[in-house]
Amino acid sequence: MFEAFYELSRSPFSRDVPPSELYESAILEETLGRLEYAAERQWFAVVTGDCGTGKTTTIRRFTEELDAAKFKVLYLSDSKLTPRHFYKGLLEQLGCESKFYRGDAKRQLHREIELMRGIHGL
């Protein structure tokens, strides 16, 4: 309805908006800068915020600029994760079957990350 009224070619409020076409707000630029800082140092980063504030969209925008040969982005969006499911979710994204116990899964994740860094340079 509003697309026709404003003569838009597509809805500006959908998830399929290309990240390169997002509004470049000061907050977006600050967040992207912080994520870049963490990525350059091979740190983990956590983005938090209220529902609908653009966390996922910001991460989509950030990952679009990363060199896939150098970086591996792991994304979990469940706000009620237990530590065990946190490790399980990350290991699954790396293509690994997670150990059952949290401590074992944590060590397994650390090992996989060190392999990515040392062997693959990710």
Side-chain angles (χ1 to χ4, degrees):
M1 170 191 254
F2 61 86
E3 291 93 350
F5 181 80
Y6 290 104
E7 300 179 5
L8 300 173
S9 59
R10 68 173 184 270
S11 174
F13 307 111
S14 65
R15 292 180 185 248
D16 65 348
V17 173
S20 59
E21 294 181 15
L22 294 173
Y23 173 69
E24 299 287 332
S25 69
I27 293 171
L28 176 63
E29 289 302 315
E30 175 72 18
T31 305
L32 292 173
R34 290 176 184 221
L35 288 171
E36 183 179 336
Y37 183 83
E40 288 171 355
R41 286 153 183 78
Q42 295 184 330
W43 292 349
F44 275 89
V46 177
V47 178
T48 63
D50 292 330
C51 294
T53 57
K55 300 176 296 295
T56 300
T57 304
T58 300
I59 296 207
R60 282 181 45 230
R61 170 74 163 69
F62 176 67
T63 57
E64 181 183 72
E65 297 177 358
L66 289 177
D67 179 356
K70 291 183 174 182
F71 297 97
K72 174 77 173 172
V73 176
L74 305 176
Y75 176 75
L76 291 173
S77 63
D78 186 349
S79 63
K80 300 196 185 315
L81 282 173
T82 63
R84 179 174 170 267
H85 287 100
F86 172 78
Y87 296 121
K88 183 178 187 309
L90 294 179
L91 284 163
E92 285 175 353
Q93 289 181 46
L94 294 174
C96 301
E97 186 173 336
S98 173
K99 304 282 187 192
F100 181 78
Y101 294 106
R102 178 182 64 199
D104 294 338
K106 180 180 178 182
R107 285 186 287 282
Q108 182 184 10
L109 178 61
H110 285 212
R111 194 169 32 256
E112 290 298 323
I113 290 170
E114 288 306 314
L115 287 172
M116 284 191 320
R117 277 182 166 172
I119 295 173
H120 305 293
L122 288 175

